[in-house]
Amino acid sequence: MAFVKNLFDKNFIEYASYVIRDRAIPDLEDGLKPVQRRIMHTLFRMDDGRFQKVANVVGECMKYHPHGDASIGAALVVLANKGIFIERQGNFGNMFTGDEASASRYIECRVRPVAKDFLVTNPEVTHYIPNYDGRSSEPEVYRAKIPVVLIIGAEGIAVGMSTKILPYNLKEVLEAEIKALKGEDFQIYPDVATGGLIDVSNYNDGNGKIVSRAKLDLTDEKKIVITELPVDTNARELKNSIDEAFKSGKLKISSINDFTTDHCHIEIKLPRGVYASEVEKSLYAYTDCEKSISCQMLVIKDNMPVAMTATEIIKYYAKKLTGIIKDELEFEKRRLTEELHLRTLERIFIEERIYKKIELMKTAEDVNKAVKKGFVPFKAELIQDVSDEDVERLLKIPIRRISLFDINKNKELVSAMNKQLKEINKKLKHLTDCAIAYLSEMLQKFAPEELLRHTQISQFTAIDVKQIVKRDTPLRYDDKGYIGTGVNGGTEILKVTPFDRIFFIRHSGIYTVCDVPEKLFVDTGMWYCNYADKNVISAELFTVIYRDPKTKFCYIKKFRVSGWIMNRDYMIVPDGMEVLHVDTRQSFTFTLKYEKKPRMKITKEDFDANDYEEKTLKANGIRLSTREVIELKVEDADTQQKLLNL
């Protein structure tokens, strides 16, 4: 058994780790899930400036992603609809109407040039690893220069954890990164393409919740037009939720028409006597016109799932950007230095006719020594020592190139490279300024409409359905002992809503609190029924008169009910006792009739409930008499029954 348990534990941990790291949660380094990263890698490899069939891209991507074409195609459509990295051609679906994309063989895409500016593809800077079958290589993670995870958002469910990151506005994110580089304070909030309103009072910088609303046009009091959608909602879903609310009687509308295309336009016409201002709150309460969305910024950082805030992610990327720029500059500096070294060797080799010194050499070793010896007088001009590889490269220069060598052109190239090296050295000393300049330049590469904010930040209180619903459903109780909104006939006790709870005391002395039932058997008699509001119930002073069936002695107890657990039964009298009467009046009189016995002169006796003190619910009652009681008569008992709503 221990072996089997260990085997299951090991396999489960491996599976959980795989789902968390390789499927559901994006990596902080580039903001992409593995399938998205492989799609981008495929598009970079296939990029020739022309559109590619999505089916072709999916097929190529299967070389890197071992999970089938369906998951790749769906992920590509989602990523393309973000509009940042991929340019689309054809029907990629409609985020406003909810229409799905066409089949992958009918639509085309290509990578946007700006994607290479954001994601570093240079193998000298980005680490590449073998793909799943070892035939090719793919990036372990891209080194992204901007917080992609915030710009495109993410949603995923893993084993024991999940992530929900709403997308942010591109311009606001880049400006926030610039402020972070300058050491200034900043604050950013989500922005979705479908617009709408969001209240971010409880957003907690990405790890709280937002309340999102549709934007309504109420200018015509007989018509409501929905012009913008809430977060994570499309027009079809919104219309269906309104239809359901209408069918269940929660909304009063005449008709609804959906004219949504590339923007939301849903018209709701109202019946006679109903006005837009009256329906607005009901739309927010009963339909998807208002949604509460919980968010959690869970990302993979250093191979571990970590919850971060939007501010932390921006600051992380601001610091990382300077590191990436430094690595790119140093790589470019090495490349230029190497190129300058080769150009200098080539010029001296040809200009000083060092190649003439190898004519009499008979072995490769002698040739190598002769070339190196020929450069000794010019050592001061060299950037670095002459290596064997340098000699091999010089010996491969064709005669035609030697004869056509242009000294002036070579000098111009060398001068240009020296100028570039000076510029690189200058930038290396001012990395923060370079990072700010880079981000400012990136903002210029997008069209103005791509940088506009769509979602409006606002403040409003989420509509509580319980506050606006009307108590207009009758709660009935019949002579068979059934109570509920679905009971036919009987006596109407209360007007209720589906959100109410009721408190009732059965004839047996058991009290219970439950949700409003459709039809529930309680007892053939009830003493009391009311809304289960603790303020209401605790204010009631109950008086119970009960009898011991064995001794036939009667007891009285006055008490209040201050608490309860839902759907649990409680007794108001000790076990085995018989409840004779329950009253809520402060003062009333009652008569006990005693069993006749020899020499007994008093056969009945009057009592006043006001003469007895209040006790706790669990306390025993006070014995009224030492005589055996056969009958109880309460003054104005019929009036009390009306007070109890029965």
Side-chain angles (χ1 to χ4, degrees):
M1 288 297 292
F3 170 76
V4 174
K5 181 180 183 301
N6 292 336
L7 182 64
F8 270 92
D9 288 346
K10 178 176 178 293
N11 290 342
F12 177 76
I13 289 171
E14 288 181 357
Y15 166 73
S17 301
Y18 169 74
V19 171
I20 293 167
R21 289 187 63 251
D22 293 335
R23 290 185 67 178
I25 311 298
D27 199 295
L28 175 63
E29 193 69 20
D30 59 7
L32 302 173
K33 297 180 183 181
V35 64
Q36 295 172 325
R37 188 177 302 116
R38 288 161 181 159
I39 288 169
M40 293 307 302
H41 176 60
T42 303
L43 287 170
F44 285 140
R45 286 176 57 89
M46 297 176 68
D47 184 33
D48 59 1
R50 296 181 293 177
F51 281 99
Q52 305 275 355
K53 285 283 188 184
V54 168
N56 188 26
V57 177
V58 170
E60 286 294 315
C61 189
M62 288 179 71
K63 295 177 181 178
Y64 310 101
H65 193 67
H67 295 291
D69 61 322
S71 62
I72 299 171
L76 194 154
V77 168
V78 171
L79 190 59
N81 283 329
K82 303 293 183 182
I84 304 297
F85 298 132
I86 302 174
E87 193 174 346
R88 303 165 296 173
Q89 185 166 277
N91 176 23
F92 275 73
N94 189 317
M95 68 181 78
F96 293 96
T97 63
D99 295 334
E100 294 184 355
S102 299
S104 59
R105 61 185 178 274
Y106 299 124
I107 54 180
E108 298 177 331
C109 69
R110 66 182 175 191
V111 68
R112 292 184 66 173
V114 74
K116 292 182 180 179
D117 292 322
F118 288 153
L119 302 176
V120 182
T121 59
N122 187 345
E124 296 290 335
V125 181
T126 295
H127 181 235
Y128 280 72
I129 57 174
N131 68 331
Y132 67 90
D133 62 5
R135 287 188 173 92
S136 187
S137 62
E138 60 178 322
E140 185 176 18
V141 287
Y142 283 113
R143 295 188 69 184
K145 296 180 179 179
I146 61 170
V148 174
V149 71
L150 294 181
I151 292 171
I152 68 173
E155 186 172 2
I157 300 174
V159 179
M161 61 186 67
S162 64
T163 187
K164 174 72 174 178
I165 304 173
L166 296 176
Y168 286 72
N169 181 272
L170 175 63
K171 180 182 178 183
E172 292 176 5
V173 169
L174 296 186
E175 288 177 345
E177 195 171 352
I178 290 172
K179 288 182 179 179
L181 286 164
K182 292 179 178 179
E184 298 175 1
D185 293 333
F186 61 89
Q187 205 168 31
I188 55 172
Y189 296 111
D191 179 33
V192 294
T194 52
L197 309 171
I198 57 170
D199 186 328
V200 294
S201 303
N202 299 311
Y203 186 53
N204 195 23
D205 208 8
N207 291 291
K209 71 173 185 178
I210 65 163
V211 179
S212 177
R213 280 184 178 180
K215 186 175 281 189
L216 308 181
D217 182 357
L218 306 175
T219 52
D220 186 342
E221 62 180 12
K222 296 299 294 177
K223 181 175 70 175
I224 296 175
V225 180
I226 302 174
T227 57
E228 293 182 15
L229 296 166
V231 175
D232 285 352
T233 309
N234 58 56
R236 182 183 293 121
E237 293 171 348
L238 186 57
K239 182 176 180 291
N240 289 341
S241 72
I242 295 172
D243 283 335
E244 289 173 10
F246 167 70
K247 290 174 183 176
S248 60
K250 297 172 183 174
L251 272 182
K252 293 180 180 179
I253 63 173
S254 175
S255 65
I256 179 171
N257 295 296
D258 185 5
F259 302 111
T260 302
T261 52
D262 57 349
H263 66 280
C264 179
H265 188 94
I266 300 174
E267 285 189 4
I268 303 171
K269 293 184 178 178
L270 306 178
R272 182 178 298 175
V274 179
Y275 299 94
S277 58
E278 300 170 1
V279 180
E280 180 185 9
K281 285 189 176 180
S282 296
L283 281 173
Y284 291 141
Y286 298 117
T287 74
D288 286 345
C289 283
E290 179 178 286
K291 296 177 73 174
S292 181
I293 300 172
S294 296
C295 305
Q296 183 173 17
M297 286 191 175
L298 188 74
V299 294
I300 301 297
K301 182 182 180 184
D302 300 328
N303 289 325
M304 292 291 291
V306 178
M308 299 182 71
T309 65
T311 302
E312 289 172 343
I313 292 175
I314 292 286
K315 289 181 177 178
Y316 173 85
Y317 267 86
K319 184 178 179 180
K320 191 179 82 159
L321 178 57
T322 56
I324 294 174
I325 291 175
K326 180 182 177 183
D327 290 346
E328 287 183 326
L329 289 172
E330 288 181 342
F331 166 73
E332 185 65 14
K333 182 179 178 180
R334 289 194 301 271
R335 187 191 68 78
L336 283 171
T337 302
E338 183 65 25
E339 180 69 17
L340 187 59
H341 173 64
L342 294 176
R343 290 283 180 182
T344 303
L345 288 178
E346 186 178 293
R347 176 183 60 78
I348 296 172
F349 185 73
I350 297 173
E351 215 175 27
E352 303 300 331
R353 300 179 180 271
I354 294 175
Y355 57 86
K356 290 285 186 179
K357 296 180 181 181
I358 66 174
E359 293 177 351
L360 300 176
M361 302 301 165
K362 295 181 178 180
T363 64
E365 186 178 351
D366 291 339
V367 169
N368 186 288
K369 289 179 180 178
V371 173
K372 287 183 178 180
K373 188 177 179 181
F375 278 100
V376 171
F378 310 101
K379 190 173 183 180
E381 297 181 43
L382 301 179
I383 296 172
Q384 60 192 40
D385 293 337
V386 181
S387 65
D388 293 340
E389 291 77 12
D390 293 335
V391 174
E392 285 296 320
R393 195 177 290 109
L394 290 169
L395 294 176
K396 290 178 181 178
I397 298 175
I399 297 296
R400 178 179 297 175
R401 187 171 164 192
I402 292 173
S403 62
L404 297 175
F405 183 72
D406 190 335
I407 295 175
N408 292 327
K409 187 177 180 180
N410 184 278
K411 285 181 178 179
E412 288 175 5
L413 289 171
V414 168
S415 176
M417 284 187 279
N418 280 320
K419 188 176 180 181
Q420 285 180 271
L421 283 170
K422 285 182 182 179
E423 187 65 27
I424 289 172
N425 287 327
K426 182 181 177 182
K427 287 181 178 179
L428 284 169
K429 294 178 182 178
H430 301 88
L431 289 173
T432 301
D433 293 336
C434 289
I436 293 171
Y438 164 80
L439 293 171
S440 301
E441 183 185 346
M442 288 301 102
L443 283 171
Q444 305 304 318
K445 293 192 175 184
F446 289 89
E449 58 270 17
E450 293 181 281
L451 302 176
L452 291 175
R453 166 168 274 278
H454 301 93
T455 306
Q456 182 181 333
I457 307 295
S458 185
Q459 280 194 335
F460 46 82
T461 304
I463 298 296
D464 187 353
V465 178
K466 298 177 184 178
Q467 294 178 352
I468 68 164
V469 66
K470 294 181 180 179
R471 280 179 169 157
D472 55 4
T473 304
L475 179 73
R476 297 181 178 277
Y477 176 72
D478 63 15
D479 54 4
K480 295 179 182 178
Y482 286 94
I483 188 173
T485 56
V487 173
N488 295 321
T491 305
E492 182 180 316
I493 304 173
L494 301 167
K495 291 283 190 182
V496 295
T497 74
F499 306 101
D500 280 328
R501 293 172 176 175
I502 58 170
F503 172 100
F504 55 88
I505 301 177
R506 294 181 171 93
H507 210 256
S508 60
I510 296 173
Y511 79 83
T512 308
V513 174
C514 68
D515 292 322
V516 170
E518 184 176 353
K519 191 174 184 180
L520 174 70
F521 178 78
V522 289
D523 207 336
T524 52
M526 270 201 310
W527 295 110
Y528 180 85
C529 183
N530 208 341
Y531 303 111
D533 185 320
K534 289 189 177 181
N535 294 327
V536 173
I537 301 301
S538 62
E540 293 276 28
L541 179 62
F542 293 97
T543 302
V544 59
I545 302 171
Y546 63 92
R547 181 174 66 174
D548 187 337
K550 295 178 182 179
T551 63
K552 295 187 179 179
F553 293 159
C554 264
Y555 300 82
I556 186 170
K557 183 172 73 169
K558 298 171 78 172
F559 62 91
R560 298 180 191 273
V561 178
S562 58
W564 53 75
I565 296 175
M566 288 285 294
N567 302 311
R568 182 173 172 179
D569 293 339
Y570 298 88
M571 282 294 295
I572 62 173
V573 295
D575 289 343
M577 298 295 108
E578 176 187 6
V579 178
L580 301 180
H581 183 72
V582 176
D583 214 300
T584 58
R585 291 176 291 178
Q586 292 290 329
S587 176
F588 64 93
T589 59
F590 58 93
T591 303
L592 295 181
K593 187 176 181 181
Y594 303 129
E595 186 177 333
K596 289 184 179 180
K597 289 188 177 181
R599 298 183 218 173
M600 183 175 173
K601 295 181 180 179
I602 300 174
T603 58
K604 61 180 181 179
E605 193 172 358
D606 294 331
F607 297 87
D608 190 338
N610 200 37
D611 295 338
Y612 299 90
E613 294 182 355
E614 180 182 334
K615 289 195 166 192
T616 63
L617 175 61
K618 294 183 179 179
N620 291 325
I622 300 170
R623 190 167 64 182
L624 293 166
S625 172
T626 55
R627 294 181 174 87
E628 298 174 351
V629 178
I630 59 173
E631 185 181 339
L632 167 69
K633 185 177 180 182
V634 180
E635 177 195 9
D636 296 330
D638 292 339
T639 303
Q640 168 62 11
Q641 290 297 307
K642 292 178 181 177
L643 290 172
L644 296 178
N645 299 314
L646 300 180

